[in-house]
Amino acid sequence: MDQDLLKVFETCLLCPGICNNKCPVYRKTHLRTAAPNVLGRLGTRIIRENRIDLAQGLRLCVECGLCLDACPVKNPLPSAIQGLKRIIYKVPESVPEPITLLEGDEKILIVSSTMPAQWIIDELREQGVGVLYLDSYEAREQRALYGAVGLPKDFKEKYKIYCEDYRLCPEAPSGLKLLLDYDIRPPKKPPAYTLLLPCGENGQASYEEAVNVYGTPSTTMDTCGIPDLYLAGYEVYTRRLLKKIKERRKGLFYLSPDSFTAKVLGSLLDAPIVSPLSYR
Amino acid sequence: MTLLRDFLEDVKALLGEDKIVTDPWLLIGYERDYWPLAVAMEYTGKWDPEPPKVAVLPTNEEEVVQILELARRHGIPVVPYAGGTGVLGGALPLRDSVILDVSPLDDYGWHDKDSMIVYAEAGVPLIDLEEWLNSQGYTLRHFPQSYPTALIGGLIATKSIGQYSTGYGGIEDIVLGLHVATYNYGLVRIPPVPRRSVLWSLKHLYIGSEGHLGIITRAYLQARKIPECSVPFSLRYNSFKEALHSAMKLVQQGTPPELLRVYDELESQSMLGESGSLIIGVIEGPCNEVDARISVMENTLGRGLGDSEPALRWLEERFNVIPKIRDLAEMGLAFDTIEVALPWSTAYTAYKETIEKLMEQEGIIYASAHASHFYLSGAAIYYTIVFELGKLASVYNKAWDIIEETSSRHRGTISHHHGIGVHRLKWLRLEYDDNTLRLLKDLKKLLDPDGVYRDESIK
């Protein structure tokens, strides 16, 4: 496996865990594997010894970047974990990057171009409206799912059509729900293996449902078993972005991919947050 | 294994399954603490530990007591685990032991704000407590090297000391009360009071007990107001001997700086890029008092306090140990730090003899030291040895032998603040005579008759 990734993990292995107490997942779950310096040791063993059995520990990282903020040498552990996940779970490169804070100008600030809301972002950009798109752990799981099961090549095209349809469908419970319903339709050629990341408030597909659809061997990562992970993810994003949002509030249009994030962020900002469902 | 399985069944019935961890991928974090030898061996792929089989994560003090009672019933040793920053292997799992992770015990707050007393459970990160206090204008002023990572329970169990110790003392000086979970006396409660004269001090029995006598679950700590003024300074000397002598004069004149560090020639160069021997310090307090104390110090030394730049640089970088460790590791080198305390009358002689002996050893690349904790009677000397990892077997224990034996022979202690852990047990005989060692062991047996609390080797 990648030697650059290994070097990042080894640096964390050498560290006493200077950033550990800043990791929201470790702090909420108290699972020691979630502590970034332990994840460094985990990653080192996975790569050096091919210990794939340890890989599920990587899922404890929500790649929020708070460890990086606290790291005195700015060792890029989150992106190394992401890279290792990609290798292990064979997630294609085409899957969008997880949240990256990109400084934009006052009018346009796009934080993440996650697929489910890309059409709205595009439209708003056309209108010259700044968009702060709040990613979530859940949304990234969705992307991981698409990557793992293999999206059809024409997905983007179909997706645009689908989204347009969606705008005409006020009863839709949520964008992600419909999106997943779309996605779990049997593809033309069933994948050899299915990796499922079920869970989340948007009522994503159950493990059994997807297994029935595909009829292939499947693995569930059962993130529902650790519900705090979701809360940790949301909390991190909202806290981390709060400062930037406040700084750039004027002229910004807030958009959230799901109602939970919208609710949390809305309460923090004391401002209405628009979710795909309410955007017309 | 049967014993462990039965123990786990009982823990499950009592506390529920979610407080038990048995998956190897969730146990990897308990394989070691921050013992530099273990870190170096893992880095070079030579770490082959006894893997822990189970960890339990109690969420309140009563559960800790219940787990200990179950452990006693099933004959399972219990190894407490807090932040994992100990440097002597004190948190290494024992064969067929259970790890008791105190991190979920993370409640803290004011116990008595008028008296500036806070309570903190064992799993509270020191950094959280300090930042919370700072937001209200208060501080503990306790900054060990492990400050970003360590948890309150671990700091007390290992008798931690901080970088501002000359002004504010060690953790024993800020602990006012304790709760300790035991299997034979339930939850031992030592209420916080300003001072107590009620037979012998139970508080001091448990501070530094390293998990041998029970598990610390809660502490009451003395906070203080954040100092109004803080003045960093430096002093440059030609030799470590001269610098150490000046530090003694500063300390013994009565109002030493709150933070004081004296580097030998090698560390002045390698740590701060300065030639000669460097003193850095910080004087804190009400501004007018700080001004007055600076005058007193300057009179004592017969010279002015120097520029703040080296001290500021050190303050900025003090927790960033990674680049140096990484550089050494990449060169196939490992390091360890060994701290002792010596009276002023022998401190420099012991230092000089120790460094000379260390440098005679094949495989030791360099040995250096600084003094960073000071008392009217003496100072802590903190040695750093860098050695070839390939010569570990021949050089590691030998270096430790030299430092511990020389300190002991010069009327010093074998450990100033890192504690004993597992590695240092072999030098206990240098600290106490046979009768006193027997007392230590008998106390352990009395309080742990069933051998539940961690390492059996001091029984």
Side-chain angles (χ1 to χ4, degrees):
Chain A
M1 291 195 200
D2 196 306
Q3 289 304 304
D4 290 339
L5 294 184
L6 179 60
K7 206 171 171 65
V8 174
F9 289 123
E10 285 176 343
T11 297
C12 288
L13 178 156
L14 292 169
C15 177
I18 290 169
C19 65
N20 282 0
N21 286 317
K22 300 299 179 191
C23 170
V25 181
Y26 172 52
R27 295 302 303 279
K28 279 189 176 286
T29 64
H30 299 288
L31 293 172
R32 196 152 177 81
T33 299
N37 70 334
V38 180
L39 283 171
R41 295 168 59 194
L42 197 83
T44 302
R45 279 193 211 177
I46 291 171
I47 295 174
R48 282 184 186 170
E49 302 166 24
N50 201 26
R51 290 283 304 276
I52 301 300
D53 60 307
L54 299 176
Q56 51 189 322
L58 299 172
R59 75 183 166 104
L60 292 174
C61 174
V62 296
E63 299 161 31
C64 66
L66 287 183
C67 58
L68 199 53
D69 290 349
C71 177
V73 294
K74 302 296 172 210
N75 191 40
L77 181 65
S79 55
I81 288 174
Q82 184 197 62
L84 193 52
K85 280 177 184 170
R86 284 183 179 211
I87 293 168
I88 291 170
Y89 298 122
K90 300 182 171 51
V91 177
E93 286 296 324
S94 60
V95 175
E97 290 291 322
I99 192 163
T100 308
L101 292 177
L102 299 175
E103 296 292 342
D105 60 30
E106 282 302 310
K107 285 190 90 178
I108 306 286
L109 174 65
I110 295 180
V111 173
S112 172
S113 57
T114 311
M115 284 181 187
Q118 187 60 51
W119 63 279
I120 302 178
I121 293 172
D122 290 343
E123 189 172 296
L124 290 169
R125 287 187 74 174
E126 285 294 312
Q127 295 169 21
V129 178
V131 177
L132 178 64
Y133 187 87
L134 294 170
D135 199 353
S136 68
Y137 183 49
E138 187 177 289
R140 277 192 284 131
E141 284 197 335
Q142 296 291 323
R143 292 201 304 278
L145 175 61
Y146 304 147
V149 301
L151 280 176
K153 278 183 181 173
D154 56 353
F155 173 80
K156 225 170 177 178
E157 282 302 306
K158 284 184 181 175
Y159 180 60
K160 276 182 182 168
I161 295 166
Y162 168 75
C163 287
E164 283 164 11
D165 290 342
Y166 165 60
R167 285 201 291 176
L168 302 172
C169 179
E171 292 81 23
S174 88
L176 289 179
K177 165 72 177 162
L178 287 179
L179 196 69
L180 195 78
D181 286 346
Y182 167 85
D183 192 53
I184 63 171
R185 290 174 201 164
K188 285 177 186 171
K189 187 181 174 190
Y193 193 79
T194 308
L195 174 73
L196 293 169
L197 298 145
C199 210
E201 68 150 359
N202 288 300
Q204 298 154 16
S206 70
Y207 172 70
E208 292 78 14
E209 186 184 356
V211 170
N212 289 336
V213 170
Y214 287 129
T216 60
S218 301
T219 297
T220 176
M221 294 184 77
D222 189 24
T223 42
C224 290
I226 310 172
D228 272 353
L229 288 186
Y230 286 94
L231 297 178
Y234 287 122
E235 195 174 301
V236 168
Y237 290 123
T238 50
R239 277 188 188 168
R240 187 185 169 109
L241 296 175
L242 191 58
K243 194 177 161 203
K244 286 186 180 292
I245 291 167
K246 281 182 173 168
E247 284 169 4
R248 297 173 172 276
R249 190 165 177 171
K250 194 179 173 185
L252 285 180
F253 181 90
Y254 304 125
L255 177 69
S256 170
D258 59 76
S259 58
F260 184 89
T261 308
K263 202 166 81 179
V264 173
L265 196 67
S267 66
L268 288 169
L269 288 170
D270 191 25
I273 304 295
V274 179
S275 73
L277 183 61
S278 57
Y279 178 74
R280 301 298 303 266
Chain B
M1 274 307 287
T2 311
L3 290 177
L4 197 56
R5 205 162 40 237
D6 293 346
F7 165 76
L8 282 182
E9 286 305 315
D10 280 357
V11 175
K12 270 183 208 170
L14 190 70
L15 308 177
E17 202 160 350
D18 60 330
K19 292 171 183 171
I20 301 168
V21 169
T22 53
D23 294 326
W25 64 276
L26 284 171
L27 288 167
I28 183 173
Y30 301 110
E31 282 181 4
R32 63 164 170 85
D33 51 17
Y34 200 58
W35 183 12
L37 181 69
V39 177
M41 290 182 74
E42 184 170 5
Y43 181 80
T44 51
K46 292 172 185 157
W47 179 240
D48 186 20
E50 172 73 29
K53 294 186 176 65
V54 60
V56 289
L57 289 89
T59 51
N60 59 57
E61 294 176 301
E62 289 70 30
E63 287 181 353
V64 181
V65 173
Q66 289 169 329
I67 290 165
L68 291 175
E69 286 170 351
L70 288 176
R72 183 203 58 77
R73 195 182 306 162
H74 292 283
I76 304 290
V78 174
V79 178
Y81 203 102
T85 57
V87 291
L88 288 158
L92 295 187
L94 306 171
R95 181 176 290 277
D96 293 331
S97 65
V98 58
I99 304 285
L100 194 150
D101 185 339
V102 298
S103 65
L105 299 168
D106 59 358
D107 186 27
Y108 63 89
W110 286 109
H111 169 70
D112 178 346
K113 194 169 182 182
D114 289 343
S115 311
M116 298 192 290
I117 301 173
V118 289
Y119 73 88
E121 290 190 314
V124 173
L126 174 61
I127 191 170
D128 278 21
L129 189 56
E130 179 67 18
E131 287 176 354
W132 175 76
L133 283 168
N134 290 171
S135 70
Q136 301 169 71
Y138 297 90
T139 174
L140 288 177
R141 254 10 208 176
H142 188 72
F143 300 107
Q145 184 65 41
S146 58
Y147 167 71
T149 315
L151 309 186
I152 293 294
L155 291 165
I156 297 170
T158 54
K159 205 172 185 180
S160 154
I161 201 162
Q163 293 155 348
Y164 287 70
S165 66
T166 307
Y168 308 106
I171 200 142
E172 67 273 24
D173 298 302
I174 62 170
V175 172
L176 298 177
L178 283 177
H179 287 186
V180 184
T182 72
Y183 60 85
N184 37 5
Y185 301 98
L187 188 65
V188 175
R189 291 181 172 86
I190 306 168
V193 289
R195 185 174 185 271
R196 177 178 279 118
S197 172
V198 184
L199 299 175
W200 49 88
S201 171
L202 286 176
K203 179 180 83 175
H204 287 95
L205 183 68
Y206 289 111
I207 296 174
S209 59
E210 299 192 33
H212 287 289
L213 307 179
I215 294 181
I216 292 163
T217 52
R218 170 186 284 239
Y220 297 91
L221 305 166
Q222 182 69 68
R224 62 180 67 233
K225 297 272 176 65
I226 291 177
E228 184 190 8
C229 269
S230 185
V231 178
F233 70 92
S234 64
L235 291 161
R236 291 172 176 80
Y237 291 87
N238 290 327
S239 70
F240 185 53
K241 187 178 183 181
E242 286 175 63
L244 207 55
H245 184 70
S246 285
M248 181 184 76
K249 282 165 66 178
L250 281 179
V251 172
Q252 292 186 341
Q253 54 87 13
T255 57
E258 277 63 29
L259 182 148
L260 186 61
R261 301 174 73 85
V262 185
Y263 292 93
D264 74 359
E265 293 86 343
L266 188 53
E267 285 198 14
S268 295
Q269 186 63 51
S270 64
M271 304 290 288
L272 292 156
E274 302 271 348
S275 57
S277 177
L278 191 70
I279 289 182
I280 59 170
V282 176
I283 308 159
E284 293 188 335
C287 298
N288 53 359
E289 184 192 299
V290 167
D291 289 343
R293 286 170 59 203
I294 288 173
S295 296
V296 173
M297 289 179 206
E298 289 180 337
N299 284 338
T300 301
L301 297 175
R303 61 184 282 191
L305 298 185
D307 65 308
S308 60
E309 196 277 328
L312 289 172
R313 193 154 26 102
W314 177 82
L315 286 166
E316 180 73 22
E317 287 293 314
R318 60 183 156 152
F319 299 118
N320 184 10
V321 295
I322 304 308
K324 282 192 171 61
I325 295 174
R326 192 170 52 188
D327 289 349
L328 291 175
E330 284 173 359
M331 289 187 283
L333 303 175
F335 79 101
D336 207 345
T337 55
I338 306 167
E339 39 36 276
V340 298
L342 289 144
W344 287 116
S345 53
T346 63
Y348 181 74
T349 312
Y351 155 82
K352 191 165 179 290
E353 186 182 323
T354 302
I355 294 289
E356 283 171 2
K357 280 189 181 172
L358 287 171
M359 290 309 294
E360 287 169 8
Q361 304 304 311
E362 197 193 334
I364 289 195
I365 304 300
Y366 73 79
S368 62
H370 63 263
S372 47
H373 307 279
F374 298 90
Y375 309 88
L376 287 171
S377 57
I381 306 290
Y382 193 102
Y383 296 99
T384 297
I385 51 169
V386 173
F387 56 94
E388 295 171 47
L389 200 53
K391 293 184 177 161
L392 176 75
S394 61
V395 80
Y396 187 69
N397 279 335
K398 180 68 182 165
W400 270 85
D401 264 335
I402 290 169
I403 293 171
E404 301 288 53
E405 189 278 324
T406 310
S407 176
S408 177
R409 188 158 39 75
H410 286 275
R411 295 179 282 120
T413 178
I414 60 165
S415 176
H416 174 260
H417 62 271
H418 286 174
I420 297 299
V422 293
H423 179 61
R424 227 171 195 159
L425 281 164
K426 54 177 87 70
W427 290 283
L428 262 185
R429 63 184 168 73
L430 293 176
E431 189 75 10
Y432 295 124
D433 62 27
D434 288 348
N435 280 340
T436 314
L437 266 183
R438 191 159 51 82
L439 169 65
L440 199 72
K441 292 176 181 182
D442 286 350
L443 269 173
K444 160 81 175 165
K445 278 183 200 156
L446 182 71
L447 295 177
D448 185 17
D450 295 302
V452 171
Y453 309 131
R454 64 153 307 109
D455 188 19
E456 67 276 14
S457 55
I458 69 162
K459 277 181 186 169

